[in-house]
């Protein structure tokens, strides 16, 4: 039965496990976004989530024809998936949008890049064809993230009747970084995005970056400028250039901001489960009555963990009164360890933490407690006991941790937040804000946060929590769905 509402995302709402006896079992994914989207889709009869198989067990489920209601996993060749996901999405688009290139050495767009781009195109085409097959007449389709940037354009050609939205969870590259891409690749990327009726970003800054980059010479006639309209921060008027040199129909792609928040009730309920209570008791036994600086990140290059640790070391050097009185709880979960640059970064984080402990630690005080295990319960326990939250990415689409900690912190916490976080737009008035590259300023912000009077800390935390829960995942999804119904 054709669906009226469809979501397309690299990661689905569930994954499969393959037992020794060959039995397959499905497990629902965790996290606020997956839960929120699942809840929103559940309210739409017949809604469908299309995703890729991420594991051998997922691929075995596809091979056997095993599926769950409301979910379709695609039959994607593992080699194509690897080249599309690791070779382009994570090694090129992620680095472009986060401004992470070591420019004297990177990027290099050679024949191998072109081969991987062909895989990325094929991967996106597979999603477009599945959506075209499953969608009812005039259905609404919400495509998620930079992995699937070409899907709207490809789907528009297959099914012009559909209402298509695309949401980018990362920043969007500035013109300087976007123009590092080869001209034809940049054209295809923008062409793919402009196939949507509505594009969504977490912040006005990322939306404006897309609009400014979607220029006429970017896409050889696909886009010829933009104009604002009352119910959107802006958008792009564009028209296709036919083979005979004539322009086709002019279309408008709206570009809006939808700052994803957290579901406060759900998060607090998760944070007070018995499993989290046990983790909290263990952490409190380690920390004692000391103050805590909490950060929770995957070891992605954009998270700026190394400079955060350097700032903590400078705090202990410049303000020795904090020695023995504060502990940094750093959860640094390994990310993308199949890429060498991420493996070396993860190792550097562990090495620097060890150096700080060796330099300042005493028999009864370890300045940095690092966890490299993906342990959500421990993270929630750390949230609850946070006195200071350190969120200092160089560039981040949103950073939900900046929103989660104030919601869960029991005694109230001070948020030290970099200007590079997407959350900065909403939270900066009640945070202590820093330049992510300025280690000394970050150290002084940590000192100010630890020294802040309790009354001010409590007031700030209350306002931060209100802002953080303003657009929880289900409402975030619904707002985009409603925009397609206008």
């Amino acid at each position: 039965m054709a669906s009226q509402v469809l979501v397309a995302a690299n990661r689905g709402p569930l994954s499969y496990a393959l037992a020794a006896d060959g039995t397959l079992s499905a497990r629902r994914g965790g996290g606020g976004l997956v839960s929120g989207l699942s809840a929103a889709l559940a309210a739409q009869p017949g809604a469908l989530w299309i995703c890729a198989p991420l594991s051998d067990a997922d691929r075995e489920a596809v091979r056997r024809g095993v599926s769950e209601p409301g979910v379709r996993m695609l039959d994607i060749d593992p080699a194509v998936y690897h080249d599309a996901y690791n070779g382009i999405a994570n090694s090129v688009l992620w680095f472009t949008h986060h401004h992470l290139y070591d420019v004297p050495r990177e990027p290099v767009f050679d024949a191998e890049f072109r081969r991987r781009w062909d895989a990325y195109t094929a991967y996106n085409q597979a999603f477009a064809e599945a959506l075209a097959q499953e969608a009812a007449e005039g259905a609404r389709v919400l495509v998620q993230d930079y992995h699937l940037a070409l899907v709207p354009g490809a789907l528009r050609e297959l099914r012009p009747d559909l209402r298509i939205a695309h949401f980018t969870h990362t920043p969007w590259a500035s013109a300087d970084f976007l123009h590092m891409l080869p001209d034809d690749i940049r054209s295809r990327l923008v062409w793919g995005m402009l196939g949507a009726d509505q594009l969504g970003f977490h912040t006005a800054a990322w939306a404006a970056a897309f609009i400014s980059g979607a220029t006429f010479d970017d896409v050889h006639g696909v886009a010829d400028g933009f104009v604002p309209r009352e119910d959107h921060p802006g958008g792009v008027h564009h028209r296709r250039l036919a083979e005979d040199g004539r322009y086709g129909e002019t279309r408008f792609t709206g570009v809006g901001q939808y700052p994803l928040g957290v579901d406060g009730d759900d998060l607090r309920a998760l944070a007070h489960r018995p499993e989290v209570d046990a983790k909290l008791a263990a952490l409190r036994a380690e920390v004692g009555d000391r103050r805590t600086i909490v950060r929770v990140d995957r070891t992605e290059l954009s998270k700026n963990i190394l400079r955060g640790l350097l700032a903590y070391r400078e705090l202990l050097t410049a303000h020795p009164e904090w020695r023995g009185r504060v502990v940094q709880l750093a959860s640094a979960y390994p990310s993308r360890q199949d890429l060498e640059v991420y493996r070396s970064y993860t190792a550097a984080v562990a090495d620097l933490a060890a150096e700080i402990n060796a330099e300042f630690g005493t028999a009864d005080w370890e300045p940095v407690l690092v966890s490299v295990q993906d342990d959500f319960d421990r993270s929630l326990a750390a949230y609850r006991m946070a006195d200071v939250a350190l969120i200092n990415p160089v560039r981040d689409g949103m950073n939900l941790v900046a929103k989660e900690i104030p919601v869960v912190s029991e005694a109230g916490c001070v948020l030290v937040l970099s200007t590079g976080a997407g959350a900065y737009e909403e939270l900066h008035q009640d945070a202590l804000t820093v330049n992510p590259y300025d280690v000394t300023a970050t150290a002084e912000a940590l000192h100010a946060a630890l020294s802040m009077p309790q009354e001010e800390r409590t007031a700030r935390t209350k306002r931060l929590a209100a802002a953080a829960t303003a657009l929880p995942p289900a409402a975030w999804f619904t707002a985009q769905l409603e925009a397609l119904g206008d």
Side-chain angles (χ1 to χ4, degrees), residues 348-373:
V349 168
D351 289 346
L352 181 53
E355 289 176 17
I356 294 170
N357 285 334
E359 181 178 358
F360 295 101
T362 64
D364 63 349
W365 173 54
E366 191 171 8
V368 185
L369 297 178
V370 177
S371 171
V372 295
Q373 302 299 317

Side-chain angles (χ1 to χ4, degrees), residues 51-266:
C51 58
L54 304 186
S55 67
D56 289 341
D58 289 349
R59 285 184 279 273
E60 179 63 16
V62 173
R63 189 187 69 79
R64 296 185 191 178
V66 174
S67 63
E68 301 295 319
V71 180
R72 176 180 169 184
M73 280 189 180
L74 301 182
D75 185 8
I76 304 287
D77 181 271
V80 170
Y81 179 83
H82 174 79
D83 286 336
Y85 183 76
N86 288 317
I88 297 297
N90 289 341
S91 294
V92 176
L93 297 182
W94 178 274
F95 277 70
T96 300
H97 289 322
H98 287 85
H99 297 180
L100 289 176
Y101 285 121
D102 179 6
V103 175
R105 296 178 176 85
E106 301 170 324
V108 175
F109 298 120
D110 54 9
E112 178 63 12
F113 161 77
R114 296 280 176 175
R115 186 188 68 78
R116 291 171 176 171
W117 179 262
D118 288 344
Y120 181 79
T121 300
Y123 176 70
N124 276 253
Q125 187 67 30
F127 272 86
E129 290 174 1
L131 289 164
Q133 180 184 43
E134 299 283 0
E137 183 74 18
R140 292 175 288 177
V141 178
L142 288 89
V143 182
Q144 300 295 304
D145 227 357
Y146 62 100
H147 313 92
L148 302 178
L150 304 184
V151 167
L155 183 57
R156 176 68 58 197
E157 295 199 339
L158 293 170
R159 291 287 304 274
D161 61 294
L162 299 180
R163 298 283 291 168
I164 305 168
H166 184 284
F167 190 89
T168 300
H169 292 267
T170 65
W172 188 263
S174 68
D176 287 345
F177 272 79
L178 196 66
H179 279 73
M180 289 182 180
L181 297 173
D183 292 349
D184 61 317
I185 301 300
R186 187 178 69 249
S187 296
R188 294 300 296 177
L189 183 66
V190 178
W191 167 86
M193 296 285 283
L194 290 176
D197 298 288
Q198 180 72 22
L199 297 175
F201 297 89
H202 282 303
T203 74
W206 311 145
F210 177 84
I211 291 173
S212 66
T215 57
F216 180 88
D217 62 358
D218 265 335
V219 234
H220 53 267
V222 175
D224 60 359
F226 68 91
V227 295
R229 74 182 201 189
E230 290 182 0
D231 57 339
H232 291 285
V236 179
H237 276 298
H238 51 96
R239 48 189 179 178
R240 292 299 303 273
L241 187 63
E243 292 182 1
D244 61 5
R246 296 182 179 181
Y247 282 113
E249 178 186 3
T250 297
R251 293 187 62 254
F252 180 83
T253 294
V255 181
Q257 62 185 103
Y258 300 90
L260 177 63
V262 300
D263 187 314
D265 292 338
D266 283 354

Side-chain angles (χ1 to χ4, degrees), residues 27 54 146 192 231 274 281 313 322 393 457 462:
R27 176 184 176 186
L54 304 186
Y146 62 100
D231 57 339
R313 182 165 71 183
W322 289 113
R457 173 194 304 269
K462 183 177 180 180

